[in-house]
Structures are given as structure tokens and as C-alpha cells.
């Protein structure tokens, strides 16, 4: 589990920017709902941008220093008063091995006596460059094909936290790790972490964007717990990295160790200054990587998926009308071959290709509350092909979100870096929009789209500027029948001084598609041009963090290859935080206080919402965080956000009373609604031992809006109008809202892990006293790791509002990224739900569908 509350939502305008690395700095941070409600005037956004430009003008040229590229590197910055010894102040030269070590975790090979040894770590959290609780050593060597890294982590063996975890899930264990800035540009680094058994968690760290653990690299690692603590041995193929090497070339390096029982202690080989926000600019440097094999590498991953799916359909001979129970019909066995390929053209440039790629999900999306939601919900990308090099395409306004590419027949991607220039090109032919099945193929409205493909293109360019800054552009194209979209944007991240950064993006869009017109109450096929912007000015120091942030999108803004939560809105936020000096030996290790003032307004200068949030948090021993906060605010709704606008078209605000009356307005009564809201909340998270952990978050909002959508068959609309007429106009109104999130994890053995999570969302209207919806989501997950690579996993999700029970049971073998075998069964049932054909209540359990599947793939990797 990453070191943040599992229920936390990282929001624009409330980012804890004192650390870029969430799993390394245990910074508990809680914000509330997605930023969909804020307020003020567009003039505020213009004044904010003007203030940012003045700050930039006053900042001078600090960001224009050249990057380190050779062994004549300057001393890495450290805390004032710390004098770096020569082996840290100057680049260290890695030793070339004459023969490879055996990767078994024991470090008993004679060749390790030749290795470069790094020691004398600093405790950087919770201590401030103080002596570590336990010593650590790192050993380094290389040959033409591998970089070898080994760790000696001295400790009491019976107190070492080590479990047989799955990949990327080791953060409740003790672990060691590294950052390799292989271009020494202080902008991006490979990250690799290893628990005491050598199980990996790997990813990419991008300055300003944080960590991405969706990336998996082919790396060999083993670890052993012994009488002196534990040792870890690693062999990193150079062909698994993108890098620059050779005479006088430098890599930025950080080596670190986490000791969980000592208040999540973090020890690092290089000291870190808390007055600087960038860790990569404080890295040590590695040199001497010469005569490395520059073989081109070809990776082929053929895959096969066999599946049989059963679905509930109408009865073949239905009983009398209104009593059709339906029946489960098994579809023919589906055989789905696929191929993905990766070709390393150079150590810095990679070509990826996918032919009918296998995107069968072996892990479904987390269930979320969808009741009373009027904006799309974001889900992360999980498909391996799109995750390769995904950090290149990520920018603040999310113009590229590859889940918009549903099911490509073919996709190709070229990504890399040459000198100061980073680039990415992606093309795809997506059959998802025209891929209809069953009865959907017979519907008249679908015939013109049937079996047609969407064509998608993405171009990304970025250039490093100065020491730690960059400028870039991004362009996307989406083409389908009656849906065409082009997007072009520029963006940048500028390092003003060691504490201050400025990030911006501006995007223009052109679309030819159907746009809904609230004045005419119809969708019109036309051309629409849109604009979006984003900026953040952030200054983070030892104790204080300040951030000014804004973003907005016009009403015709479309990003069909990306993700857009809300249009015709502007968002502004000013955030300030104070964090006390940590005291590792005290009962209160540190405390933190922040305040965030945020607002939304549309492009017609109308306030949509504003909020003021204050939070106080305590960090206590045994990895315990306790806090409380209060959000006060205002929210405003306009009927044209939900349907027709009454200002042009005559309508009846209380519904027609006669045959000649105009049609009803979208909202019953007035054309808008507004409320003043108060939302107190508290939270606790604790991870006191390797056996168990838990978290709880509770929030109550007074005057939260019921949007009068209804909560499905279980909760029909409860507005005053709907109680008299279920088909009455929409009548949003305030009520009391409760949101609860809780979770517990239990790990009785090193191989068995179980977690139970609970989410509750309940809203009761004040005017009628009726419950608008009450949703309870239970998620039970259990995993048994037979070995590092073989596991059995069970998952059951129960959603009371949807009356849905979903189970997923999986047996898997994953020896490396690309090679895998899965045997799985998915089940979809209703419990006390409603018949989809008759609408009648069905007591007990009824099966809606089920799937058996076998998925297999194999990584062929050759160099030439």
C-alpha cells in the first residue's frame, strides 16, 4: 500500500507537494470530492495568470543553467552544515566485473569482492539527515549486458518485515530501492524497489508528476533473510532501460532503505534538503559505464485467450407477458489470439506494435458510487501495451487517456529521447465504437456504425530547457462516423528556484460532431472550437507550501482521445500548508495544517461553487495518522446543465395542466438552485504491525444536493414533484449526506493476505424526509502466494444499490513481465434485485452472467 490514505483523492489545488514520492514520504493527505464545484468570476482567472507572469518575470534566469552531462559534475546540494565526503560529492565509478555473479540473494560470489561499495546512509524521514537506526551497504558492478546491484541491510532477522507479496505490492514490508536518472536530466528516473525476499516493485518517477508503478521491467532479483538482517541481489539488463552511457556520461543515482517498524524510517545514501522540492537534483552520480553492448532487442509476446461467456437473455418461449424470468445462455467458446512486439531501435528509442492485442482484464476496476453523479468517473489504464512509455503522453489536462481506445485491431507506438528532445507517436485503428453484439447489431440506429473503426493518432514532443525545465506540445486526432476531433496544445514545466515551479498547458480543439443545444433542446451536427488551460505555481519549503492553481475548459471543448470531467467551467485554488519539524522520538512525530480556498465559475461569469477547506493532522508512532477537517462552501445548479433552457423556448415551470400548455421545463419551479454547505470530516489510518492495518474516513455534508436522478429500482425519485408524479420535471433539492470509507488488511502468514473495504454513501432530502439513495459497497480480496510467481486470488464485490454481487477467482503464474498463465472464473449475480425484463423484484440470488477463461502469453526476447 502506498504511503497515503487509501481513501484519499489527489485533487488539483490541494496537492501535498512537499514530496514528489508518495510511497517514500509517508505524507497522509486527504481531500474530498472531485473538483467539480467551485466559483467566482473569469476575471479572477485572468488576474491569477497575470500574477503568475509577474512572479516569473521577477524570478530571473535560475532555470536556465545547463544540465550536468559529464564527470565534471558539481557537488549535489545537501542540507546546510553537511559536508559531503568525496565519494558522495564526486561521481562514483562503477567497477566492471570479469564474470557475472549468480543471482541467488546470498552475495557469496567471489566477484562481489571487486564491487564498488556505498555506505554511510542518512536518515531523511522522520529524521532530518540524522544517523540511521540500522546500517546499510550497496554494492555495484557491471558487465557488457547487466548492471549488478546488491544490498546488505543489517537488522535483527526476527524483526524484518518480509512477505511473499505480488509484484508492486511490497510497500507494507521493509524494502530497499534505487532511482536511476539514466539521462542525468533531473526530470525522470527509473525506480526499483525490492523487499527482503527480492520481490520487485518497479516504475518510473517523473518530476512534477510523481510515481507510476504501472510500468514493469524485466529484472532478475533475489533476497534472503539471514542472521545479520537481509541481503538482496539484482541483475538489471541494460536492454530493459533507456539510457545514455559511455565515456564521461553520468547517471543520477539515489539508493535508499525503508524500515517500517521505526516510524516508517527512510534512509538514503545521499542526504536530502527539505528546502528543495526536487530529489533528482540532489542525486549522486554514477560514471564508468563504458563498452556496453548496444545490441538491438526484439521482444515478441504472442497471447492466446480461450473464454466461454454465459448471459441472461429472454426466455426462448416466454411465459405470459410480464412474467419472463429469463434464462442463461452460453455463447460459443471464443478463441482470441494476439501479438504485441517491442523493438529497441537504439538504447533511447523503442517501437511498439500490437496486432489484435489481448486486453482481457485479469483485474477488474474498483467499484465506485455512481448514484447522484453527473460527471464521468476516471479509471486508470491497466493494459500493458498502452502502459509502455505512457509517462511521455501524460500532461495536466489529460488530452490523452488511452482507455478512450477501446479495442484496437492494430496499434503502433514510437517513443524515445534523443539529447534534450523527448517524443512519442501513437496510431491505432479501434473497432470498439462499431463492435456491436447480439440484439445491438439489429437496432436500426446502429446499422451505419456497424463494424466500422475509429482512427486515432497522437503526437507528443517535449524539449528539456535549462537545468530542470521543459517545454512541449501535444496533438491528437480522432475520426469516426459523425465524430471527428482534432486537438493541439502546448505545455511546460519551469523550475524557477529550488523551491518554486510553474507548470502550464493551453489547448485548442476543433470538432465536427453533434453538440447539444439547450436553447433548441436538440443535438445539432456542427463544427465547434474549444479552449482549455491549466497552470500551477507551487512553492514548497521545509515548513510552508504555497500553491496557486487554475484550469478551465469552454463549452465546446472536446478531447475524444483523452478524459474530460466537466466543460464550461473554470477552477481556481489557493492552497497553503504548514508542517512542523519532525521529532522521531516523540509521541507526536509531526503535525500538519492546511487551508485551501477554491472556486468554480462558468464562461458566462456565473458562480458555480466555492469552498474553503481546513484540515489538521497528527503523525503518531506506529505509522498512525489522525486528523480532522471542515469544508464550508456554496454550490449552484443551472437547468441548462441538465437539459433545455427556458429563456428561449416557452415551457411550463410546474408542468402542463392542459393539452395546449407548453411542454414542462427541465427544472420544476425556478431555473436554478443553490445551497450553502458544511462538511466536517475525520480520518485515521494505522499500520502498527506486519500482520494488520486499518483506515477509517467519515464525512457528513449538510445541504448536499440530491440531483433528483433517482437511485435505480430500489430508490425511485423522492423530490416533492416526483412523489406526486414519477415523470415530473427534475427538482434538485438539499439534504444530509453521509460518506464513510473503511478498510482493514490482515496478513497472518507471509503468503496469505486478506483485505476488506467498505464504502457508504447515503443522502436524505430535507423537504420530503425521504432517502434519495443509500449505497453500500463491500469488497473482499484474498490472495495466497504459493511462490513469488504463482498465486491464487479471490475477489467478491457486493453493491447494495445495484443489487450486484460479482466474484472473480484467478489462478496465475507470472514469472516475468510478458510471460503469464491465468485460469479464471468471473461471476455476476443479483441479490434481491429486479428482473431486467419485467422489473419485478426477485428475492435471493439470480445469475446474470459468468465467464470462464484461460489466458496465456510468452515473452520471446532476442538481441542482435
Amino acid at each position: 500500500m502506498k504511503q497515503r490514505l487509501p481513501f484519499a483523492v489527489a485533487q488539483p489545488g490541494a496537492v501535498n507537494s512537499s514530496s514528489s514520492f508518495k510511497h517514500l514520504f509517508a505524507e497522509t493527505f486527504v481531500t474530498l470530492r472531485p473538483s467539480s464545484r467551485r466559483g467566482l468570476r473569469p476575471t479572477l482567472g485572468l488576474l491569477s495568470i497575470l500574477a503568475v507572469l509577474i512572479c516569473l518575470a521577477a524570478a530571473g534566469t535560475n532555470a536556465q543553467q545547463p544540465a550536468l552531462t559529464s564527470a565534471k559534475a558539481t557537488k549535489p546540494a545537501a542540507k546546510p552544515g553537511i559536508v559531503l565526503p568525496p565519494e558522495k560529492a564526486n561521481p562514483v565509478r562503477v567497477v566492471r566485473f570479469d564474470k557475472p555473479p549468480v543471482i541467488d540473494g546470498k552475495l557469496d560470489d567471489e566477484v562481489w569482492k571487486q564491487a564498488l561499495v556505498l555506505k554511510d546512509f542518512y536518515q531523511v524521514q522522520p529524521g532530518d539527515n540524522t544517523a540511521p537506526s540500522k546500517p546499510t551497504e550497496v554494492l555495484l558492478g557491471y558487465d557488457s549486458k547487466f548492471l549488478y546491484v546488491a544490498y546488505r541491510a543489517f537488522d535483527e532477522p526476527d524483526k524484518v518485515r518480509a512477505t511473499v507479496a505480488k509484484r508492486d505490492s511490497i510497500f507494507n514490508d521493509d524494502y530497499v530501492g534505487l532511482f536511476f536518472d539514466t539521462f542525468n536530466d533531473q526530470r525522470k528516473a527509473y525506480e526499483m524497489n525490492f523487499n527482503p525476499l527480492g520481490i520487485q516493485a518497479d516504475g518510473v518517477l517523473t518530476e512534477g508528476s510523481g510515481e507510476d508503478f504501472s510500468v514493469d521491467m524485466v529484472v532478475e532479483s533475489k533476497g534472503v533473510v539471514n542472521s545479520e538482517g537481509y541481503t538482496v541481489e539484482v541483475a538489471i539488463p541494460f536492454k530493459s532501460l533507456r539510457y545514455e552511457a559511455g565515456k564521461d556520461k553520468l547517471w543520477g543515482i539515489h539508493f535508499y532503505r525503508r524500515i517500517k517498524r521505526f516510524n516508517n524510517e527512510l534512509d538514503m545514501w545521499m542526504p536530502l534538503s527539505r528546502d528543495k522540492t526536487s530529489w533528482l537534483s540532489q542525486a549522486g552520480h554514477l560514471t564508468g559505464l563504458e563498452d556496453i553492448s548496444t545490441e538491438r532487442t526484439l521482444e515478441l509476446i504472442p497471447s492466446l485467450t480461450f473464454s466461454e461467456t454465459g448471459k441472461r437473455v429472454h426466455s426462448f418461449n416466454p411465459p405470459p407477458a410480464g412474467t419472463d424470468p429469463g434464462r442463461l445462455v452460453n455463447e460459443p467458446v471464443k478463441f482470441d489470439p494476439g501479438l504485441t512486439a517491442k523493438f529497441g531501435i537504439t538504447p533511447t528509442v523503442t517501437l511498439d506494435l500490437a496486432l489484435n492485442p489481448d486486453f482481457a482484464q485479469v483485474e477488474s476496476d474498483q467499484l465506485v458510487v455512481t448514484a447522484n453523479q453527473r460527471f464521468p468517473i476516471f479509471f486508470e489504464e491497466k493494459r500493458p501495451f498502452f502502459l509502455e512509455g505512457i509517462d511521455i503522453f501524460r500532461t495536466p489536462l489529460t488530452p490523452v487517456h488511452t482507455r478512450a481506445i477501446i479495442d484496437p485491431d492494430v496499434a503502433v507506438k514510437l517513443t524515445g529521447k534523443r539529447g534534450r528532445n523527448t517524443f512519442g507517436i501513437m496510431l491505432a485503428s479501434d473497432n470498439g465504437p462499431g463492435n456491436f453484439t447480439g440484439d445491438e447489431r439489429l437496432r436500426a440506429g446502429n446499422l451505419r456504425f456497424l463494424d466500422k473503426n475509429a482512427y486515432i493518432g497522437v503526437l507528443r514532443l517535449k524539449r528539456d530547457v535549462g537545468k530542470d525545465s521543459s517545454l512541449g506540445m501535444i496533438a491528437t486526432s480522432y475520426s469516426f462516423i459523425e465524430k471527428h476531433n482534432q486537438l493541439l496544445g502546448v505545455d511546460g514545466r519551469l523550475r524557477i528556484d529550488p523551491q518554486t515551479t510553474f507548470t502550464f498547458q493551453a489547448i485548442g480543439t476543433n470538432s465536427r460532431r453533434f453538440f447539444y443545444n439547450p436553447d433548441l433542446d436538440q443535438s445539432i451536427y456542427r463544427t465547434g472550437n474549444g479552449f482549455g488551460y491549466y497552470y500551477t505555481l507551487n512553492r514548497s519549503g521545509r515548513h510552508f507550501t504555497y500553491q496557486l492553481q487554475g484550469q478551465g475548459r469552454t463549452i465546446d471543448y472536446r478531447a475524444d482521445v483523452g478524459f474530460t470531467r466537466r466543460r464550461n467551467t473554470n477552477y481556481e485554488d489557493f492552497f497553503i500548508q504548514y508542517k512542523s519539524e519532525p521529532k522521531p522520538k516523540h509521541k507526536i512525530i509531526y503535525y500538519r495544517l492546511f487551508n485551501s480556498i477554491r472556486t468554480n465559475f462558468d464562461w458566462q461569469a456565473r458562480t458555480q461553487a466555492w469552498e474553503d477547506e481546513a484540515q489538521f493532522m497528527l503523525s503518531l508512532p506506529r505509522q498512525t495518522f489522525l486528523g480532522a477537517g471542515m469544508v464550508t462552501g456554496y454550490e449552484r445548479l443551472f437547468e441548462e446543465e441538465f437539459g433545455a433552457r427556458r429563456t428561449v423556448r416557452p415551457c411550463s415551470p410546474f408542468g402542463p395542466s392542459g393539452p395546449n400548455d407548453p411542454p414542462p421545463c427541465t427544472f420544476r419551479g425556478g431555473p436554478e438552485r443553490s445551497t450553502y454547505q458544511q462538511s466536517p470530516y475525520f480520518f485515521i489510518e494505522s499500520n502498527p504491525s506486519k500482520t494488520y492495518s486499518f483506515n477509517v474516513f467519515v464525512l457528513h455534508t449538510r445541504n448536499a444536493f440530491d440531483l433528483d436522478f433517482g437511485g435505480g429500482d430500489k430508490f425511485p425519485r423522492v423530490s416533492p414533484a416526483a412523489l406526486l408524479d414519477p415523470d415530473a420535471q427534475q427538482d434538485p433539492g438539499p439534504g444530509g449526506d453521509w460518506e464513510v470509507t473503511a478498510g482493514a488488511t490482515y496478513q497472518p502468514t507471509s503468503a496469505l493476505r486478506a483485505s476488506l473495504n467498505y464504502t457508504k454513501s447515503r443522502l436524505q432530502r430535507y423537504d420530503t424526509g425521504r432517502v434519495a439513495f443509500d449505497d453500500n459497497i463491500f469488497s473482499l480480496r484474498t490472495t495466497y502466494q504459493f511462490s513469488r510467481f504463482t498465486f491464487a486470488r479471490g475477489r467478491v464485490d457486493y453493491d447494495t444499490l445495484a443489487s450486484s454481487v460479482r466474484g472473480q477467482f484467478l489462478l496465475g503464474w507470472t514469472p516475468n513481465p510478458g510471460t503469464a498463465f491465468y485460469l479464471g472464473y468471473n461471476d455476476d449475480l443479483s441479490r434481491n434485485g429486479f428482473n431486467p425484463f419485467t422489473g419485478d423484484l426477485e428475492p435471493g440470488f439470480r445469475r446474470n452472467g459468468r465467464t470462464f477463461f484461460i489466458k496465456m502469453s510468452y515473452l520471446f526476447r532476442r538481441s542482435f
Side-chain angles (χ1 to χ4, degrees), residues 7-14 31-38 368-369 372-378 551 563 565-566 571 598 600 609 611 613 631 635 699 739:
F7 45 77
V9 180
Q11 299 301 340
T31 55
L32 300 182
R33 295 165 285 268
S35 320
S36 60
R37 318 172 304 158
R38 327 288 182 205
V368 297
V369 176
N372 213 43
Q373 295 282 340
R374 58 176 172 142
F375 302 118
I377 298 173
F378 183 87
Q551 61 177 291
F563 177 83
R565 179 169 172 81
R566 187 176 188 181
Y571 161 82
R598 45 196 185 240
N600 269 66
E611 286 183 348
E613 178 181 4
V631 183
E635 185 174 9
L699 173 145
E739 297 179 23

Side-chain angles (χ1 to χ4, degrees), residues 489-500:
V490 295
D491 61 277
R493 183 175 185 269
L494 306 178
R495 169 72 63 180
I496 300 172
D497 60 38
Q499 293 81 35
T500 309

Side-chain angles (χ1 to χ4, degrees), residues 321-363:
T323 60
D324 183 2
R327 65 192 183 103
L328 194 70
V329 175
N330 290 325
E331 298 178 349
V333 175
K334 185 178 180 181
F335 170 72
D336 193 12
L339 175 68
T340 59
K342 179 192 296 185
F343 180 53
I345 300 173
T346 71
T348 64
V349 180
T350 301
L351 176 67
D352 293 270
L353 174 69
L355 299 174
N356 190 32
D358 175 21
F359 289 153
Q361 293 290 336
V362 297
E363 184 174 358

Side-chain angles (χ1 to χ4, degrees), residues 95-120:
V95 176
R96 188 180 182 94
F97 285 171
D98 51 20
K99 66 177 182 178
V102 176
I103 306 301
D104 56 11
K106 297 179 180 179
L107 301 186
D108 53 2
D109 299 89
E110 192 71 19
V111 70
W112 282 115
K113 295 181 180 180
Q114 308 171 20
L116 170 69
V117 181
L118 306 179
K119 50 188 176 181
D120 300 325

